[in-house]
Amino acid sequence: MSFNYVGAPVKMKEAVRHVKGRGMFVDDIKLPGMSYVVFLRSPYPHAVIRSIDVSRASSAEGVYGVFTGADIKAVTKPFPQLTVPPASKVIDYSMAVKKARFVGEPVAAVVADTPYHARDAVDLIEVDYQPLTPVTNPLDVLNGEAPIIHEEAGTNIAASIEYDYGDYDEAVKNADRIVTSKLVFHRFSSTPLEPNAVLATYDERSGYTIYCNNQMPMFLSPSILRALDTDMTRVRIVTPDIGGGFGVKIINYTYMVLVAALSKLVGRPVKWIETRTEHMMASSHGADRHFEVEAAVKNDGTLLGLKTTTVDDIGAYARHEPAGLTVWAQVAPGCCKLKHLRQRMYAVFTNKCPAGPNRGFSRAPHQFMIERMLDKIARELGKDPLEIRRLNYISRDEQPYTTLNGCVYDGGDYFGALQKAASMINIVEWRRKQAELRSQGRFIGVGVGVTLDSGTANFGQVRMLNPQLPNVGTSEAATVQMTPDGKILVKLGTVPQGQAHETIASQIVADVLKTDYEDVTVAPGFDSESHPYTLHSGTYASRFAGTGVIAVYNAAQRLKDMIANVAANILEARKEDIVVEGGAAYVKDSPEKKVSFKRIARTAYANPFELPKYMEPGLTATAVFSPDFKPPNEKKVGNLTLTYSYQAHAVVVEVDPENGAVKILDYAIVDDCGTVINPAVVDGQVHGAACHGLGAVLYEKFEYDEDGRLLTSSFMDYLAPTAVETPFFKTYRMSIPSPFTPLGAKGVGEGCGAPIPAIVAAVEDAVKHLGGEILSSHVKPEDVYRLIHRHGRNQ
């Protein structure tokens, strides 16, 4: 199939309305009689709620109602905990009931005629707390030193699991040395322009309508329905434009239920727009992961095997975690030809904000560990980190490559991409100049790394943790319709948050139907009453290219076949002789025999007499795509995802020895996401992932003190990078199409944290002459300063 629009940087359809300020977000929606809710949130990480006095707040100006956890408990059911017994016994409502378990947990709600009246009334609520000792160190949980957070579970261990691939003991026998390390992938998240938002209304006849910015509402609908104690026919979910997601807008389903319940209680629509401080405290954090690692290594640098113990701090509730204890396995060996891996993993409850997905969920920490171990191996052996990667990375000729746990890498040139990135920053010259510049007091460092972005997950992976769960595979739906006037309308099951799905779908449909790009309209957002969907629908896990795109492509092909069928009947020709292009259909060898899309549509919708025998009136095609996935076997071996894009990063930094500040001097990225549907969209994803990773290393961290108080709850403390701190990124694109998708495209939405190990390696390289080692994914200037001066004094 030839392409006209696929592969071209066509103008993005969404961009026009957004640039003009004409987007429609949750906060733009106004309903008759609408009210506003503001929450009173716990100032304590762990406390018994002895009593709540709402009398003054209830009589305040404009207040429709004040509600506590007891009121919410009366009209909702607990959320299912996504884990195994005994932790699955945890009772989790959308508002604290009798006990608060993290700073920021809602303990009361005021619904009023304006947000200002609601906020004023919140200040009048009086709560009597009995503070309890908080659990803030996840390692204390394994040591048995922490108080129990959920009495009904009787444990703070949310889940544990062991993986044993290959024969690590054999790897140790064949190794020349064992390299060990303790690493930390820190707690951070995303800061989308639009925080969480919900507008809900309840009607006794039709049920709930929930406007929200959740990324995967239909996937989460079983949990929502259970909590609201209702059925699918009585819940309509609408997502308008969404101002960024990155995973952080997945577990806001708890607020969807809470606001919907409040609407039912007050008998009017209720709107909640999260503040930035609320977002920082109580939306969703990426779990921090603590590693103890042992690597079996040959003296030439060959990595034979890994043995790791990991602890994930998932916060107060298992609302999405401990899924991270399975998702990492999509990239078990990273980019390496690793044959032996033994990994013991724990997820533990603490008195912190509940953890959920964040860009590169679970795979970014795992690949951070592997890339940092490769750097440590290089350092201990006195070898070039590039050479260690050349020796260990899977080559292009070996792909498709089946990993030690049964995943199938669909094609890539990992070391070739890294070589290109290294050459783009002139790594040889920087290496040559390092010693000379160091003698001048300038600490220069170079770092490299490659990580995989696995896309289109097989939900059978969760059975590795909980064999009783029913989900296996994944799926997505799309509808392509020729309207009665001959135009094309597309409706998606996906829920875009800035990934240009309207543009991408238009490009694909326009190419399949050989029609004008501007003649294709994609309905914005998602509406469960009118859009197709499955119980996997949504945008997350880099899945649009591997599911949504294919569903659109298949639906367009089906519509094309229907168009040809109608045209053949009108033109009295064989269907196989019909050519569809240019807004019309004609006979291949007699192009003068032609019928327009408009005439075809009018016939299909209004003149059944002219339709082929047995064809129903109308021109609407719906396709549901599902890859051929199977569940992992009893040894936890199976294909866990469909596509693997990747990014290679190479970076040069300068560290100021006077204050530990890090400055980026040069930065290069090589990406490969297979067939590129729209280069401009991919450029945005690549730059966004790089900026996100850079922010994680140098600026962004959720820090709690030992008393469980969040110290970084605003942009005064949580330092998201701005344009000033963001370097110029040199970029280069490779394109090795996936053999597993019709267009050869691969998911590219997450980047999977490639900047993180590369930047950390560069900072460490800058101070390696002092003997310093960086063990965290977050590098604070004061930590670098202490490292420089502590080790400098010892030289």
mmCIF file of all heavy atoms in Angstrom, residues 91-132:
data_model
loop_
_atom_site.group_PDB
_atom_site.id
_atom_site.type_symbol
_atom_site.label_atom_id
_atom_site.label_comp_id
_atom_site.label_asym_id
_atom_site.label_seq_id
_atom_site.Cartn_x
_atom_site.Cartn_y
_atom_site.Cartn_z
ATOM 1 N N ILE A 91 -9.604 -2.416 53.058
ATOM 2 C CA ILE A 91 -10.869 -1.729 52.777
ATOM 3 C C ILE A 91 -10.544 -0.303 52.366
ATOM 4 O O ILE A 91 -9.997 0.471 53.154
ATOM 5 C CB ILE A 91 -11.795 -1.754 54.008
ATOM 6 C CG1 ILE A 91 -12.139 -3.202 54.374
ATOM 7 C CG2 ILE A 91 -13.063 -0.950 53.729
ATOM 8 C CD1 ILE A 91 -12.896 -3.342 55.677
ATOM 9 N N ASP A 92 -10.872 0.031 51.130
ATOM 10 C CA ASP A 92 -10.435 1.287 50.526
ATOM 11 C C ASP A 92 -11.633 2.027 49.945
ATOM 12 O O ASP A 92 -12.186 1.621 48.916
ATOM 13 C CB ASP A 92 -9.390 0.983 49.440
ATOM 14 C CG ASP A 92 -8.921 2.227 48.694
ATOM 15 O OD1 ASP A 92 -9.194 3.350 49.157
ATOM 16 O OD2 ASP A 92 -8.286 2.062 47.633
ATOM 17 N N TYR A 93 -12.036 3.107 50.590
ATOM 18 C CA TYR A 93 -13.071 3.990 50.064
ATOM 19 C C TYR A 93 -12.418 5.235 49.464
ATOM 20 O O TYR A 93 -11.235 5.508 49.703
ATOM 21 C CB TYR A 93 -14.046 4.406 51.169
ATOM 22 C CG TYR A 93 -14.975 3.304 51.626
ATOM 23 C CD1 TYR A 93 -14.672 2.536 52.742
ATOM 24 C CD2 TYR A 93 -16.161 3.034 50.938
ATOM 25 C CE1 TYR A 93 -15.516 1.519 53.175
ATOM 26 C CE2 TYR A 93 -17.013 2.022 51.365
ATOM 27 C CZ TYR A 93 -16.681 1.269 52.474
ATOM 28 O OH TYR A 93 -17.517 0.270 52.890
ATOM 29 N N SER A 94 -13.191 5.997 48.727
ATOM 30 C CA SER A 94 -12.650 7.203 48.099
ATOM 31 C C SER A 94 -12.457 8.349 49.081
ATOM 32 O O SER A 94 -11.882 9.375 48.721
ATOM 33 C CB SER A 94 -13.548 7.643 46.942
ATOM 34 O OG SER A 94 -14.880 7.801 47.386
ATOM 35 N N MET A 95 -12.924 8.184 50.296
ATOM 36 C CA MET A 95 -12.690 9.150 51.364
ATOM 37 C C MET A 95 -12.328 8.374 52.626
ATOM 38 O O MET A 95 -12.801 7.250 52.832
ATOM 39 C CB MET A 95 -13.933 10.012 51.599
ATOM 40 C CG MET A 95 -13.721 11.127 52.617
ATOM 41 S SD MET A 95 -15.195 12.170 52.807
ATOM 42 C CE MET A 95 -15.115 13.135 51.302
ATOM 43 N N ALA A 96 -11.472 8.946 53.454
ATOM 44 C CA ALA A 96 -11.031 8.263 54.666
ATOM 45 C C ALA A 96 -12.216 7.939 55.565
ATOM 46 O O ALA A 96 -13.082 8.786 55.807
ATOM 47 C CB ALA A 96 -10.029 9.130 55.420
ATOM 48 N N VAL A 97 -12.235 6.718 56.048
ATOM 49 C CA VAL A 97 -13.268 6.272 56.987
ATOM 50 C C VAL A 97 -12.570 5.836 58.268
ATOM 51 O O VAL A 97 -11.840 4.838 58.277
ATOM 52 C CB VAL A 97 -14.092 5.106 56.397
ATOM 53 C CG1 VAL A 97 -15.120 4.615 57.411
ATOM 54 C CG2 VAL A 97 -14.771 5.523 55.099
ATOM 55 N N LYS A 98 -12.751 6.618 59.308
ATOM 56 C CA LYS A 98 -12.223 6.343 60.657
ATOM 57 C C LYS A 98 -10.715 6.519 60.791
ATOM 58 O O LYS A 98 -10.207 6.674 61.889
ATOM 59 C CB LYS A 98 -12.616 4.940 61.131
ATOM 60 C CG LYS A 98 -14.113 4.736 61.287
ATOM 61 C CD LYS A 98 -14.418 3.349 61.835
ATOM 62 C CE LYS A 98 -15.936 3.160 61.998
ATOM 63 N NZ LYS A 98 -16.253 1.798 62.521
ATOM 64 N N LYS A 99 -9.996 6.490 59.692
ATOM 65 C CA LYS A 99 -8.545 6.585 59.771
ATOM 66 C C LYS A 99 -7.980 7.208 58.502
ATOM 67 O O LYS A 99 -8.412 6.875 57.395
ATOM 68 C CB LYS A 99 -7.946 5.186 59.967
ATOM 69 C CG LYS A 99 -6.463 5.139 60.274
ATOM 70 C CD LYS A 99 -6.020 3.689 60.498
ATOM 71 C CE LYS A 99 -4.558 3.581 60.839
ATOM 72 N NZ LYS A 99 -4.096 2.184 60.999
ATOM 73 N N ALA A 100 -7.031 8.134 58.680
ATOM 74 C CA ALA A 100 -6.332 8.730 57.544
ATOM 75 C C ALA A 100 -4.986 8.046 57.398
ATOM 76 O O ALA A 100 -4.301 7.774 58.393
ATOM 77 C CB ALA A 100 -6.137 10.227 57.756
ATOM 78 N N ARG A 101 -4.588 7.784 56.129
ATOM 79 C CA ARG A 101 -3.390 6.984 55.905
ATOM 80 C C ARG A 101 -2.326 7.687 55.065
ATOM 81 O O ARG A 101 -1.301 7.091 54.772
ATOM 82 C CB ARG A 101 -3.786 5.642 55.274
ATOM 83 C CG ARG A 101 -4.579 4.765 56.244
ATOM 84 C CD ARG A 101 -5.034 3.470 55.608
ATOM 85 N NE ARG A 101 -5.608 2.566 56.595
ATOM 86 C CZ ARG A 101 -6.895 2.571 56.967
ATOM 87 N NH1 ARG A 101 -7.743 3.441 56.424
ATOM 88 N NH2 ARG A 101 -7.322 1.718 57.880
ATOM 89 N N PHE A 102 -2.568 8.917 54.655
ATOM 90 C CA PHE A 102 -1.502 9.704 54.032
ATOM 91 C C PHE A 102 -1.879 11.181 54.076
ATOM 92 O O PHE A 102 -3.066 11.529 54.139
ATOM 93 C CB PHE A 102 -1.197 9.254 52.599
ATOM 94 C CG PHE A 102 -2.304 9.460 51.592
ATOM 95 C CD1 PHE A 102 -2.339 10.586 50.773
ATOM 96 C CD2 PHE A 102 -3.313 8.508 51.433
ATOM 97 C CE1 PHE A 102 -3.336 10.767 49.830
ATOM 98 C CE2 PHE A 102 -4.313 8.673 50.499
ATOM 99 C CZ PHE A 102 -4.327 9.812 49.686
ATOM 100 N N VAL A 103 -0.873 12.025 54.094
ATOM 101 C CA VAL A 103 -1.115 13.467 54.077
ATOM 102 C C VAL A 103 -1.803 13.818 52.763
ATOM 103 O O VAL A 103 -1.296 13.511 51.678
ATOM 104 C CB VAL A 103 0.196 14.253 54.220
ATOM 105 C CG1 VAL A 103 -0.044 15.742 53.971
ATOM 106 C CG2 VAL A 103 0.801 14.043 55.594
ATOM 107 N N GLY A 104 -2.972 14.445 52.859
ATOM 108 C CA GLY A 104 -3.725 14.813 51.663
ATOM 109 C C GLY A 104 -4.917 13.929 51.399
ATOM 110 O O GLY A 104 -5.715 14.218 50.498
ATOM 111 N N GLU A 105 -5.074 12.844 52.156
ATOM 112 C CA GLU A 105 -6.247 11.986 51.950
ATOM 113 C C GLU A 105 -7.509 12.763 52.318
ATOM 114 O O GLU A 105 -7.574 13.389 53.378
ATOM 115 C CB GLU A 105 -6.138 10.721 52.794
ATOM 116 C CG GLU A 105 -7.295 9.758 52.545
ATOM 117 C CD GLU A 105 -7.115 8.394 53.180
ATOM 118 O OE1 GLU A 105 -6.249 8.250 54.063
ATOM 119 O OE2 GLU A 105 -7.851 7.464 52.779
ATOM 120 N N PRO A 106 -8.543 12.740 51.458
ATOM 121 C CA PRO A 106 -9.781 13.460 51.779
ATOM 122 C C PRO A 106 -10.438 12.880 53.031
ATOM 123 O O PRO A 106 -10.578 11.658 53.160
ATOM 124 C CB PRO A 106 -10.659 13.229 50.552
ATOM 125 C CG PRO A 106 -9.714 12.852 49.451
ATOM 126 C CD PRO A 106 -8.592 12.124 50.123
ATOM 127 N N VAL A 107 -10.836 13.764 53.957
ATOM 128 C CA VAL A 107 -11.552 13.319 55.156
ATOM 129 C C VAL A 107 -12.946 13.943 55.240
ATOM 130 O O VAL A 107 -13.786 13.473 56.008
ATOM 131 C CB VAL A 107 -10.756 13.631 56.442
ATOM 132 C CG1 VAL A 107 -9.443 12.880 56.441
ATOM 133 C CG2 VAL A 107 -10.501 15.120 56.585
ATOM 134 N N ALA A 108 -13.194 14.992 54.462
ATOM 135 C CA ALA A 108 -14.525 15.605 54.413
ATOM 136 C C ALA A 108 -14.642 16.392 53.118
ATOM 137 O O ALA A 108 -13.633 16.743 52.486
ATOM 138 C CB ALA A 108 -14.759 16.511 55.612
ATOM 139 N N ALA A 109 -15.889 16.667 52.726
ATOM 140 C CA ALA A 109 -16.141 17.396 51.480
ATOM 141 C C ALA A 109 -17.233 18.422 51.712
ATOM 142 O O ALA A 109 -18.244 18.128 52.371
ATOM 143 C CB ALA A 109 -16.544 16.437 50.368
ATOM 144 N N VAL A 110 -17.042 19.608 51.154
ATOM 145 C CA VAL A 110 -18.068 20.647 51.177
ATOM 146 C C VAL A 110 -18.531 20.889 49.750
ATOM 147 O O VAL A 110 -17.714 21.153 48.858
ATOM 148 C CB VAL A 110 -17.549 21.963 51.781
ATOM 149 C CG1 VAL A 110 -18.606 23.056 51.656
ATOM 150 C CG2 VAL A 110 -17.160 21.776 53.237
ATOM 151 N N VAL A 111 -19.827 20.785 49.527
ATOM 152 C CA VAL A 111 -20.417 21.080 48.224
ATOM 153 C C VAL A 111 -21.188 22.389 48.359
ATOM 154 O O VAL A 111 -22.050 22.520 49.232
ATOM 155 C CB VAL A 111 -21.357 19.951 47.763
ATOM 156 C CG1 VAL A 111 -21.945 20.277 46.391
ATOM 157 C CG2 VAL A 111 -20.613 18.623 47.716
ATOM 158 N N ALA A 112 -20.858 23.340 47.483
ATOM 159 C CA ALA A 112 -21.455 24.670 47.601
ATOM 160 C C ALA A 112 -21.733 25.255 46.226
ATOM 161 O O ALA A 112 -21.365 24.672 45.193
ATOM 162 C CB ALA A 112 -20.532 25.585 48.398
ATOM 163 N N ASP A 113 -22.346 26.441 46.228
ATOM 164 C CA ASP A 113 -22.738 27.069 44.964
ATOM 165 C C ASP A 113 -21.557 27.655 44.203
ATOM 166 O O ASP A 113 -21.616 27.842 42.990
ATOM 167 C CB ASP A 113 -23.795 28.145 45.205
ATOM 168 C CG ASP A 113 -23.338 29.232 46.173
ATOM 169 O OD1 ASP A 113 -22.290 29.049 46.837
ATOM 170 O OD2 ASP A 113 -24.034 30.252 46.288
ATOM 171 N N THR A 114 -20.463 27.967 44.911
ATOM 172 C CA THR A 114 -19.243 28.443 44.254
ATOM 173 C C THR A 114 -18.048 27.749 44.902
ATOM 174 O O THR A 114 -18.117 27.334 46.073
ATOM 175 C CB THR A 114 -19.048 29.963 44.396
ATOM 176 O OG1 THR A 114 -18.718 30.262 45.766
ATOM 177 C CG2 THR A 114 -20.299 30.724 43.980
ATOM 178 N N PRO A 115 -16.944 27.655 44.194
ATOM 179 C CA PRO A 115 -15.763 27.046 44.815
ATOM 180 C C PRO A 115 -15.249 27.876 45.989
ATOM 181 O O PRO A 115 -14.642 27.340 46.922
ATOM 182 C CB PRO A 115 -14.742 26.973 43.670
ATOM 183 C CG PRO A 115 -15.232 27.914 42.628
ATOM 184 C CD PRO A 115 -16.712 27.966 42.767
ATOM 185 N N TYR A 116 -15.510 29.175 45.967
ATOM 186 C CA TYR A 116 -15.027 30.051 47.030
ATOM 187 C C TYR A 116 -15.811 29.824 48.315
ATOM 188 O O TYR A 116 -15.235 29.763 49.408
ATOM 189 C CB TYR A 116 -15.113 31.505 46.571
ATOM 190 C CG TYR A 116 -14.501 31.695 45.204
ATOM 191 C CD1 TYR A 116 -15.308 31.881 44.076
ATOM 192 C CD2 TYR A 116 -13.116 31.645 45.027
ATOM 193 C CE1 TYR A 116 -14.749 32.010 42.807
ATOM 194 C CE2 TYR A 116 -12.547 31.785 43.758
ATOM 195 C CZ TYR A 116 -13.374 31.960 42.661
ATOM 196 O OH TYR A 116 -12.814 32.089 41.424
ATOM 197 N N HIS A 117 -17.130 29.697 48.202
ATOM 198 C CA HIS A 117 -17.923 29.384 49.378
ATOM 199 C C HIS A 117 -17.548 28.008 49.930
ATOM 200 O O HIS A 117 -17.497 27.812 51.156
ATOM 201 C CB HIS A 117 -19.418 29.418 49.041
ATOM 202 C CG HIS A 117 -19.964 30.811 48.897
ATOM 203 N ND1 HIS A 117 -21.023 31.118 48.066
ATOM 204 C CD2 HIS A 117 -19.591 31.977 49.482
ATOM 205 C CE1 HIS A 117 -21.285 32.413 48.136
ATOM 206 N NE2 HIS A 117 -20.429 32.956 48.994
ATOM 207 N N ALA A 118 -17.301 27.060 49.039
ATOM 208 C CA ALA A 118 -16.916 25.730 49.493
ATOM 209 C C ALA A 118 -15.583 25.777 50.238
ATOM 210 O O ALA A 118 -15.412 25.147 51.301
ATOM 211 C CB ALA A 118 -16.828 24.778 48.311
ATOM 212 N N ARG A 119 -14.630 26.544 49.705
ATOM 213 C CA ARG A 119 -13.321 26.626 50.353
ATOM 214 C C ARG A 119 -13.418 27.307 51.715
ATOM 215 O O ARG A 119 -12.773 26.897 52.689
ATOM 216 C CB ARG A 119 -12.340 27.379 49.445
ATOM 217 C CG ARG A 119 -10.897 27.289 49.897
ATOM 218 C CD ARG A 119 -9.955 27.780 48.801
ATOM 219 N NE ARG A 119 -10.090 26.979 47.592
ATOM 220 C CZ ARG A 119 -9.567 25.771 47.410
ATOM 221 N NH1 ARG A 119 -8.888 25.208 48.382
ATOM 222 N NH2 ARG A 119 -9.734 25.132 46.285
ATOM 223 N N ASP A 120 -14.236 28.358 51.799
ATOM 224 C CA ASP A 120 -14.409 29.036 53.087
ATOM 225 C C ASP A 120 -15.028 28.094 54.114
ATOM 226 O O ASP A 120 -14.625 28.081 55.294
ATOM 227 C CB ASP A 120 -15.307 30.268 52.916
ATOM 228 C CG ASP A 120 -14.608 31.400 52.161
ATOM 229 O OD1 ASP A 120 -13.362 31.354 52.043
ATOM 230 O OD2 ASP A 120 -15.311 32.303 51.670
ATOM 231 N N ALA A 121 -15.986 27.306 53.678
ATOM 232 C CA ALA A 121 -16.668 26.403 54.609
ATOM 233 C C ALA A 121 -15.764 25.280 55.084
ATOM 234 O O ALA A 121 -15.888 24.811 56.230
ATOM 235 C CB ALA A 121 -17.932 25.840 53.963
ATOM 236 N N VAL A 122 -14.851 24.819 54.233
ATOM 237 C CA VAL A 122 -13.912 23.774 54.641
ATOM 238 C C VAL A 122 -13.131 24.199 55.885
ATOM 239 O O VAL A 122 -12.848 23.382 56.780
ATOM 240 C CB VAL A 122 -12.958 23.423 53.472
ATOM 241 C CG1 VAL A 122 -11.698 22.721 53.990
ATOM 242 C CG2 VAL A 122 -13.660 22.529 52.465
ATOM 243 N N ASP A 123 -12.798 25.483 55.957
ATOM 244 C CA ASP A 123 -12.034 25.981 57.097
ATOM 245 C C ASP A 123 -12.820 25.923 58.403
ATOM 246 O O ASP A 123 -12.245 26.081 59.493
ATOM 247 C CB ASP A 123 -11.587 27.422 56.838
ATOM 248 C CG ASP A 123 -10.581 27.524 55.704
ATOM 249 O OD1 ASP A 123 -9.901 26.518 55.424
ATOM 250 O OD2 ASP A 123 -10.479 28.605 55.081
ATOM 251 N N LEU A 124 -14.130 25.717 58.301
ATOM 252 C CA LEU A 124 -14.975 25.675 59.500
ATOM 253 C C LEU A 124 -15.160 24.249 60.048
ATOM 254 O O LEU A 124 -15.765 24.065 61.108
ATOM 255 C CB LEU A 124 -16.346 26.289 59.190
ATOM 256 C CG LEU A 124 -16.343 27.742 58.673
ATOM 257 C CD1 LEU A 124 -17.761 28.179 58.334
ATOM 258 C CD2 LEU A 124 -15.714 28.663 59.712
ATOM 259 N N ILE A 125 -14.683 23.257 59.324
ATOM 260 C CA ILE A 125 -14.801 21.870 59.776
ATOM 261 C C ILE A 125 -13.747 21.609 60.859
ATOM 262 O O ILE A 125 -12.583 21.986 60.711
ATOM 263 C CB ILE A 125 -14.615 20.890 58.601
ATOM 264 C CG1 ILE A 125 -15.680 21.133 57.527
ATOM 265 C CG2 ILE A 125 -14.691 19.443 59.094
ATOM 266 C CD1 ILE A 125 -15.464 20.319 56.264
ATOM 267 N N GLU A 126 -14.165 20.954 61.919
ATOM 268 C CA GLU A 126 -13.256 20.636 63.016
ATOM 269 C C GLU A 126 -13.097 19.114 63.118
ATOM 270 O O GLU A 126 -14.089 18.391 63.245
ATOM 271 C CB GLU A 126 -13.783 21.203 64.332
ATOM 272 C CG GLU A 126 -13.875 22.735 64.321
ATOM 273 C CD GLU A 126 -14.441 23.281 65.614
ATOM 274 O OE1 GLU A 126 -14.675 22.487 66.549
ATOM 275 O OE2 GLU A 126 -14.660 24.502 65.692
ATOM 276 N N VAL A 127 -11.863 18.668 63.050
ATOM 277 C CA VAL A 127 -11.570 17.235 63.117
ATOM 278 C C VAL A 127 -10.675 16.966 64.314
ATOM 279 O O VAL A 127 -9.677 17.660 64.535
ATOM 280 C CB VAL A 127 -10.872 16.748 61.828
ATOM 281 C CG1 VAL A 127 -10.643 15.243 61.887
ATOM 282 C CG2 VAL A 127 -11.674 17.125 60.597
ATOM 283 N N ASP A 128 -11.031 15.955 65.069
ATOM 284 C CA ASP A 128 -10.215 15.515 66.200
ATOM 285 C C ASP A 128 -9.442 14.276 65.760
ATOM 286 O O ASP A 128 -10.019 13.209 65.536
ATOM 287 C CB ASP A 128 -11.116 15.192 67.397
ATOM 288 C CG ASP A 128 -10.314 14.741 68.615
ATOM 289 O OD1 ASP A 128 -9.076 14.946 68.619
ATOM 290 O OD2 ASP A 128 -10.910 14.167 69.550
ATOM 291 N N TYR A 129 -8.131 14.434 65.590
ATOM 292 C CA TYR A 129 -7.268 13.339 65.148
ATOM 293 C C TYR A 129 -6.480 12.761 66.327
ATOM 294 O O TYR A 129 -6.098 13.484 67.251
ATOM 295 C CB TYR A 129 -6.240 13.831 64.126
ATOM 296 C CG TYR A 129 -6.774 14.300 62.803
ATOM 297 C CD1 TYR A 129 -6.960 15.663 62.553
ATOM 298 C CD2 TYR A 129 -7.051 13.409 61.780
ATOM 299 C CE1 TYR A 129 -7.411 16.120 61.315
ATOM 300 C CE2 TYR A 129 -7.500 13.850 60.534
ATOM 301 C CZ TYR A 129 -7.684 15.204 60.321
ATOM 302 O OH TYR A 129 -8.128 15.659 59.097
ATOM 303 N N GLN A 130 -6.224 11.489 66.266
ATOM 304 C CA GLN A 130 -5.259 10.850 67.155
ATOM 305 C C GLN A 130 -4.091 10.389 66.286
ATOM 306 O O GLN A 130 -4.149 9.338 65.638
ATOM 307 C CB GLN A 130 -5.865 9.646 67.874
ATOM 308 C CG GLN A 130 -4.859 8.916 68.772
ATOM 309 C CD GLN A 130 -5.409 7.607 69.310
ATOM 310 O OE1 GLN A 130 -6.617 7.400 69.370
ATOM 311 N NE2 GLN A 130 -4.515 6.709 69.708
ATOM 312 N N PRO A 131 -3.003 11.174 66.250
ATOM 313 C CA PRO A 131 -1.873 10.815 65.381
ATOM 314 C C PRO A 131 -1.257 9.484 65.778
ATOM 315 O O PRO A 131 -1.153 9.138 66.960
ATOM 316 C CB PRO A 131 -0.887 11.970 65.597
ATOM 317 C CG PRO A 131 -1.725 13.107 66.097
ATOM 318 C CD PRO A 131 -2.800 12.460 66.931
ATOM 319 N N LEU A 132 -0.866 8.723 64.737
ATOM 320 C CA LEU A 132 -0.197 7.442 64.922
ATOM 321 C C LEU A 132 1.192 7.513 64.299
ATOM 322 O O LEU A 132 1.484 8.386 63.471
ATOM 323 C CB LEU A 132 -1.006 6.320 64.264
ATOM 324 C CG LEU A 132 -2.458 6.146 64.721
ATOM 325 C CD1 LEU A 132 -3.161 5.121 63.834
ATOM 326 C CD2 LEU A 132 -2.514 5.724 66.184
#
